[in-house]
Amino acid sequence: MSGYIERADPAGEHRLELAARAAWLYYFKSRTQEQIATELNVSRQIVQRLIALANSERLIRFELVHPMAKCIELADRLRDRFGLVYCDVCLSERDSVEDIPSVATQATFYLEKVLDQVAPLTIGLGSGGAMREVARRLPPMERPQHRCVSLMGNLTRDGRATHYDVCTRLAERLNAQCYPFPVPVVTYTEAERELLQTQPGHRVLEALVAEASLLVMGIGYWGPEATLYKDGFITAAELGQAMAAGAVGELLGCAISADGVIVNADYHSRLTSFIRTRPADRPTTIVASGVHRAPAIRAALHGRLANALITDENTAKLVLGIA
């Protein structure tokens, strides 16, 4: 008996070998289709079919060697994990615990594209250090048709203003219409909050937030160094009570649990910010970086309180729970 085993489809096997050779010449040797046709002694149309065959049979494996490759992969994993409508991950130093400048720069690229449209656009804006950096880094643009509206107050209960007045700063950069929210983030009493909500200006802001086609905000972590507490918006007792209720983060001043559920915090009945119900019903983007914020980011995305994210690679890994 002969040791030769006849192939089931020698013609098909030969065509795959030819497809592999054509793909090698095209992708790795950067030859044109006409050059490949001459070298293989076939027509240019056959070269096109051979390259298409190589792709359909998965004979070609691409490897992106740019440093951004890992960031692109992380962004894809975050999109798949949390069902995001948009995600962008920027490079960061290997051992950095926070990289707000890089994330803010990436967010300005995102906003520049959005703001470039001619049609009037209403954007709802949160606050925080990352958002302040975004407003500072955004290049001046003439967009008087756009409207910037604040999603939360900017005062403490005793009338002191926050350093993070993002709405006004961003509107100035755009020469856009500005709708700040000059009220306490948390009022002394529920009656005070209810009175503020009856004012004509509040109703205008509420309508603008409802029509906004894009919401962009930072996110805070919960703990002794929480910005909401350090900046005087809530008391130590209110901070502790929310922590006891399971808070791991803060979105627009609202305390959320690891599951992305709004916790039963006492101060919530006096919180004035425009909290959006879940799931997010429009592009709702978190711009954030840092080891301490990763649990809060994960919570907000898991709870569908936001559906878009701009962050750095170290934070992205923590949100995904990978090394």
Side-chain angles (χ1 to χ4, degrees), residues 182-248:
V183 301
V185 174
V186 179
T187 60
Y188 278 112
T189 66
E190 290 183 42
E192 183 182 349
R193 177 198 181 204
E194 291 170 1
L195 179 62
L196 288 171
Q197 292 175 332
T198 65
Q199 302 304 305
H202 187 280
R203 289 196 291 269
V204 170
L205 286 171
E206 193 171 26
L208 286 171
V209 171
E211 76 172 43
S213 56
L214 173 66
L215 307 179
V216 188
M217 63 202 70
I219 194 168
Y221 60 90
W222 211 261
E225 297 298 310
T227 302
L228 205 63
Y229 168 63
K230 286 181 64 178
D231 286 354
F233 298 122
I234 62 174
T235 65
E238 290 165 343
L239 174 74
Q241 188 275 325
M243 287 180 66
V248 300

Side-chain angles (χ1 to χ4, degrees), residues 139-155:
M141 305 168 71
E142 283 295 318
R143 298 293 183 271
Q145 74 275 26
H146 296 336
R147 292 181 289 193
C148 298
V149 56
S150 182
L151 296 172
M152 63 186 300
N154 64 347
L155 302 175

Side-chain angles (χ1 to χ4, degrees), residues 39-295:
E39 186 162 338
L40 298 183
N41 195 28
V42 296
S43 68
R44 187 166 176 266
Q45 289 74 21
I46 289 178
V47 170
Q48 291 175 341
R49 296 191 195 108
L50 289 172
I51 293 172
L53 178 64
N55 282 312
S56 65
E57 293 295 325
R58 300 180 183 276
L59 303 183
I60 304 299
R61 184 176 65 186
F62 294 97
E63 182 180 2
L64 186 62
V65 296
H66 192 276
M68 281 298 297
K70 291 182 180 179
C71 294
I72 294 169
E73 180 187 358
L74 288 169
D76 284 342
R77 292 180 65 172
L78 285 164
R79 270 192 294 266
D80 293 341
R81 171 81 65 86
F82 299 105
L84 305 182
V85 299
Y86 180 85
C87 186
D88 204 349
V89 176
C90 66
L91 290 167
S92 58
E93 295 182 20
R94 182 183 300 273
D95 299 320
S96 67
V97 296
E98 181 178 83
D99 194 348
I100 287 177
S102 295
V103 171
T105 299
Q106 201 70 26
T108 62
F109 298 151
Y110 167 69
L111 280 179
E112 279 185 81
K113 295 175 185 176
V114 174
L115 295 166
D116 200 40
Q117 71 177 55
V118 176
L121 175 70
T122 301
I123 302 180
L125 297 163
S127 63
M131 289 298 297
R132 180 176 62 179
E133 280 297 305
V134 171
R136 191 174 72 83
R137 291 165 185 267
L138 192 71
M141 305 168 71
E142 283 295 318
R143 298 293 183 271
Q145 74 275 26
H146 296 336
R147 292 181 289 193
C148 298
V149 56
S150 182
L151 296 172
M152 63 186 300
N154 64 347
L155 302 175
T156 63
R157 273 168 266 196
D158 60 7
R160 179 167 52 85
T162 175
H163 298 294
Y164 308 117
D165 184 13
V166 174
C167 182
T168 301
R169 296 186 186 200
L170 196 67
E172 287 176 350
R173 303 293 285 179
L174 302 174
N175 191 26
Q177 302 167 52
C178 181
Y179 294 85
F181 196 21
V183 301
V185 174
V186 179
T187 60
Y188 278 112
T189 66
E190 290 183 42
E192 183 182 349
R193 177 198 181 204
E194 291 170 1
L195 179 62
L196 288 171
Q197 292 175 332
T198 65
Q199 302 304 305
H202 187 280
R203 289 196 291 269
V204 170
L205 286 171
E206 193 171 26
L208 286 171
V209 171
E211 76 172 43
S213 56
L214 173 66
L215 307 179
V216 188
M217 63 202 70
I219 194 168
Y221 60 90
W222 211 261
E225 297 298 310
T227 302
L228 205 63
Y229 168 63
K230 286 181 64 178
D231 286 354
F233 298 122
I234 62 174
T235 65
E238 290 165 343
L239 174 74
Q241 188 275 325
M243 287 180 66
V248 300
E250 163 263 314
L251 192 67
L252 298 178
C254 190
I256 59 175
S257 71
D259 294 326
V261 176
I262 296 174
V263 305
N264 187 24
D266 290 343
Y267 76 89
H268 281 170
S269 62
R270 294 173 281 112
L271 180 64
T272 60
S273 59
F274 294 103
I275 299 298
R276 308 307 303 168
T277 57
R278 60 173 185 156
D281 56 359
R282 71 198 78 179
T284 303
T285 307
I286 290 175
V287 179
S289 170
V291 172
H292 300 301
R293 292 182 183 86

